[in-house]
């Protein structure tokens, strides 16, 4: 499978379930930071890679990691995931996130699925900031632009 | 029993495969077959055309031709001349509408040796005068007049009488008072025989009266299903198959190509960029369910190296665009031209299902790239997806968040190997069928497999501390894992 994808230019590798679980969490943290923020603010991914957005990104990452562990994340772990978000935002700077595309199309967003995914990945705590962002995105969908 | 027929194949069917006694080449041909709003516009030429076709197809039943509106009312001579024309086309008898007023025409036809059927009650040619297509003889006075009309036609020499849309008691009374048979339509069961318009009873005429007729089958659905399969098979390449085609012998083909001058510029196939690969002999057949950013990117890249890709998406405009122009992706970088992926078959869920039989056990890989929360919904639209997969084919799930394991197992069965793909790739949709790959990821996507291997080496340990995710994001790559029980 990996050979098939890699040969097609989609560099891939297989990993064990434990690593996949870790990777899925990492991706989820990125999605939970970039997607709702860009959707609520109506900006491309690159915008939130800027320094001005770091506190907001950090708050969301901290909440997601705390929900995962059931306790506050360590400074190093937090830093690592914030960097990951910023890197992805920068790498996809011209992109409109899928959630913002959905908002603009008036379609249902994946936000609920992302929160469901966190629970599937054994998240222990709630994420009030995410719920607030969900409300914000939903309210934004009611604005005719 | 009597039914209508207007053409060779139905006449043949009725003749060879039914117990129907009489075929009426009715002037209803105007409505059921020619698209007129009523039978009034039908001409003698229309009737002759269809009468000849029916006569060629029917061997056994007795053939009756309708005299159309305007072909018999003026005089006895006009009626005989028109009837002769229908007999010349193979009819054995004619039918005309009207009661006592038409008795002299019936008498003249009888005198000329032409067998004639009368038609009373609702006479569609004069429906406007009657006040529409309603029941006739609903008052005692009107019913008595119908009985009088029937007797007058019998007396004039009619061999049988069509009784249309008359209350059943009135039709029964008419039948009881006549020596000749009555053939009813919408007039109850106490007539000697029954007649129906074939197109009404087989569901081929949309405006059939439910009161008068009954839909014994619905061939419209069968025709529509056949058309859907046909179009899907042509689009999907299943039809025409080699057995439906004739191939040129290799030597003749070479000679043919050598004998032709080169094609003029402008008529050649659109330019493809250098990376386009022809379909390879070991091409995998890959089904991509969900042609959003990730699904389309996977489909594009796999197709570009020569694999056979089918994408299924419910967004019809996108599917149509891919079908017409191919799946188009503009790579990152200044001056990059849109590239078109070949070997991409695009289908809506309905089209996929319509061609399900041809897809059984076909796909070597299934990629599910729906929106995260929509996996179950999307798979429910393509219930044949499980059967279309080869027994060992992996199901690769590339969705945001966690795949919906229950939905996937429900769709593919518990034994299907599920693979969760965690990808940071995506693309921007600029128009249906057309995507742009974001700048930085695109160049990283081209990174060789070797780098993936390098990540597993010890000397890469400092980087590994960043976590697999960051590494994957850095190179725009993927982490692929077999899904296991949680």
């Amino acid at each position: 499978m990996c050979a098939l994808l890699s040969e097609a230019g989609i560099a891939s590798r297989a990993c064990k379930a434990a690593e996949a679980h870790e990777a899925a969490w990492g991706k989820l943290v990125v999605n939970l930071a970039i997607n709702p923020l860009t959707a609520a603010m109506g900006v491309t991914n690159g915008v939130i890679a800027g320094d001005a957005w770091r506190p907001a990104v950090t708050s969301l990452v901290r909440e997601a990691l705390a929900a995962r562990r059931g306790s506050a994340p360590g400074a190093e772990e937090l830093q690592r995931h914030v960097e990951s978000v910023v890197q992805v935002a920068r790498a996809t700077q011209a992109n409109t996130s899928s959630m913002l595309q959905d908002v603009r199309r008036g379609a249902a967003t994946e936000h609920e699925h992302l929160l469901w995914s966190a629970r599937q990945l054994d998240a222990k705590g709630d994420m009030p900031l995410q719920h607030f962002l969900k409300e914000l995105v939903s309210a934004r969908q009611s604005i005719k632009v | 029993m009597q039914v209508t027929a207007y053409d060779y194949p139905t006449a043949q069917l009725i003749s060879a495969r039914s117990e129907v006694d009489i075929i009426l080449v009715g002037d209803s041909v105007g409505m059921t077959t020619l698209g007129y709003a009523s039978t009034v516009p039908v001409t003698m030429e229309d009737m002759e055309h269809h009468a000849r076709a029916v006569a060629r197809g029917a061997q056994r039943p007795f053939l009756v031709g309708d005299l159309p509106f305007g072909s018999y009312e003026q005089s006895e001579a006009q009626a005989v001349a028109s009837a002769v024309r229908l007999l010349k086309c193979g009819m054995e008898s004619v039918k005309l509408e009207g009661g006592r007023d038409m008795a002299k025409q019936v008498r003249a036809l009888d005198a000329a040796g032409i067998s004639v059927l009368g038609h009373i009650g609702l006479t569609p040619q004069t429906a406007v005068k009657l006040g529409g297509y309603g029941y006739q003889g609903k008052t005692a006075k009107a019913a008595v007049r119908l009985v009088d009309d029937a007797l007058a036609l019998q007396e004039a020499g009619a061999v049988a009488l069509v009784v249309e849309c008359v209350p059943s008691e009135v039709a029964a009374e008419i039948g009881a008072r006549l020596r000749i048979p009555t053939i009813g339509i919408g007039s109850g069961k106490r007539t000697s025989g029954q007649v129906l318009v074939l197109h009404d009873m087989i569901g081929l005429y949309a405006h059939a009266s439910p009161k008068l007729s009954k839909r014994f089958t619905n061939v419209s659905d069968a025709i529509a299903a056949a058309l859907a399969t046909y179009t899907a098979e042509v689009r999907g390449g299943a039809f025409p198959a080699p057995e439906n085609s004739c191939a040129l012998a290799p030597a003749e083909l070479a000679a043919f190509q050598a004998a032709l001058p080169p094609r003029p510029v402008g008529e050649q196939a659109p330019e493809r960029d250098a990376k386009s690969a022809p379909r390879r002999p070991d091409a995998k057949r890959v089904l991509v369910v969900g042609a959003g950013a990730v699904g389309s990117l996977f489909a594009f890249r796999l197709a570009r190296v020569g694999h056979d890709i089918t994408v299924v998406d419910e967004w019809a405009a996108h599917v149509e665009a891919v079908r017409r122009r191919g799946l188009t992706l503009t790579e990152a970088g200044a001056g990059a031209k849109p590239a078109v992926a070949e070997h991409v078959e695009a289908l809506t869920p309905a089209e996929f299902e319509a061609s399900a039989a041809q897809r059984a056990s076909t796909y070597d890989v299934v990629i599910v790239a729906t929106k995260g929360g929509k996996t179950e919904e999307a798979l429910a639209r393509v219930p044949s997806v499980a059967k279309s997969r080869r027994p060992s084919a992996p199901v690769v799930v590339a969705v945001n968040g966690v795949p919906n394991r229950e939905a996937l197992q429900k769709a593919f069965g518990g034994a299907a190997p599920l693979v969760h793909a965690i990808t940071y790739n995506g693309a921007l949709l600029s128009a249906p069928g057309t995507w742009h790959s974001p700048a930085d990821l695109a160049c990283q996507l081209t990174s060789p497999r070797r780098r993936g291997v390098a990540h597993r080496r010890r000397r890469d340990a400092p980087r590994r501390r960043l976590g697999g995710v960051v590494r994957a994001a850095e190179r725009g790559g993927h982490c692929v894992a077999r899904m296991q029980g949680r």
Side-chain angles (χ1 to χ4, degrees), chain A residues 9-11 13 102 110 117 120, chain B residues 371-372 402 445 478-480 486:
Chain A
I10 307 168
R13 70 191 176 87
D102 289 336
E110 281 185 312
S117 297
Q120 295 298 304
Chain B
K371 289 192 72 66
V402 175
L445 271 174
H478 297 70
C479 189
V480 179
R486 286 197 315 108

Side-chain angles (χ1 to χ4, degrees), chain B residues 119-419:
Chain B
H119 183 161
I120 60 168
L122 171 61
T123 45
Q125 293 175 7
T126 49
V128 173
K129 188 179 157 194
L130 297 175
Y133 290 90
Y135 268 75
Q136 304 299 312
K138 284 168 77 175
T139 64
K141 193 177 161 194
V144 168
R145 199 180 318 125
L146 282 176
V147 174
D148 178 59
D149 282 340
L151 289 167
L153 292 168
Q154 174 180 266
E155 202 277 321
V159 298
L161 213 52
V162 170
V163 182
E164 179 165 358
C165 281
V166 165
S168 50
E169 298 84 353
V170 180
E173 188 60 36
I174 292 169
R177 285 170 185 269
L178 293 182
R179 295 185 308 278
I180 59 174
T182 51
I183 302 167
I185 174 165
S187 300
K189 56 170 69 172
R190 286 185 286 168
T191 51
S192 318
Q194 294 287 332
V195 57
L196 278 182
V197 172
L198 182 77
H199 288 52
D200 294 352
M201 60 180 280
I202 63 174
L204 195 53
Y205 182 59
H207 312 294
S209 156
K211 180 100 179 144
L212 204 78
S213 191
K214 179 179 170 183
R215 192 167 281 188
F216 290 91
T217 183
N218 194 341
V219 298
S220 292
D221 289 347
I223 292 172
L227 292 171
T229 308
Y230 164 60
T231 52
E233 285 192 8
V234 170
R235 281 171 177 153
F239 179 86
E243 61 264 31
N244 308 116
S245 316
C246 167
L248 211 51
E252 285 302 322
L253 179 61
F256 173 54
Q257 285 166 340
L260 286 176
R263 271 188 239 165
V265 180
E267 288 179 25
Q268 282 174 347
E271 195 185 337
R272 314 263 178 206
D273 84 313
K275 280 186 282 181
S276 189
R279 188 188 183 281
R280 50 207 264 177
D282 64 336
K284 300 279 186 210
R285 293 206 61 176
V286 182
L287 173 65
V288 181
V289 181
V294 171
S296 291
L297 190 69
F298 275 50
F300 176 87
R301 295 215 188 279
L302 288 166
R304 290 282 286 174
V305 294
H307 295 295
D308 277 335
I309 314 296
T310 301
V311 297
V312 178
D313 198 281
E314 60 179 302
W315 186 17
H318 185 44
V319 166
E320 186 58 35
V322 173
R323 199 138 59 201
R324 273 193 280 118
R325 298 192 298 271
L327 188 57
T328 308
L329 188 99
T330 306
E331 296 285 359
K337 286 193 182 122
V340 179
E342 297 162 315
H343 324 303
V344 176
E345 174 191 32
L347 301 169
T348 63
E351 287 162 348
F352 183 82
E353 285 306 304
S355 55
Q358 288 81 49
R359 297 176 192 282
S361 205
T362 292
Y363 294 105
D364 303 304
V365 179
V366 178
I367 297 174
V368 177
T370 62
K371 289 192 72 66
K374 300 282 185 186
T375 307
E376 184 166 19
E377 205 178 298
L379 289 174
R381 289 201 189 90
V382 282
S384 72
V385 72
K387 285 211 181 76
S388 75
R389 181 185 150 262
R390 291 170 75 105
S392 60
V395 177
V396 179
V397 193
V399 299
N400 275 337
V402 175
N404 184 339
R405 177 189 298 274
E406 285 73 27
L408 291 160
Q409 287 182 337
K410 198 171 116 195
F412 292 101
L418 299 177
V419 177

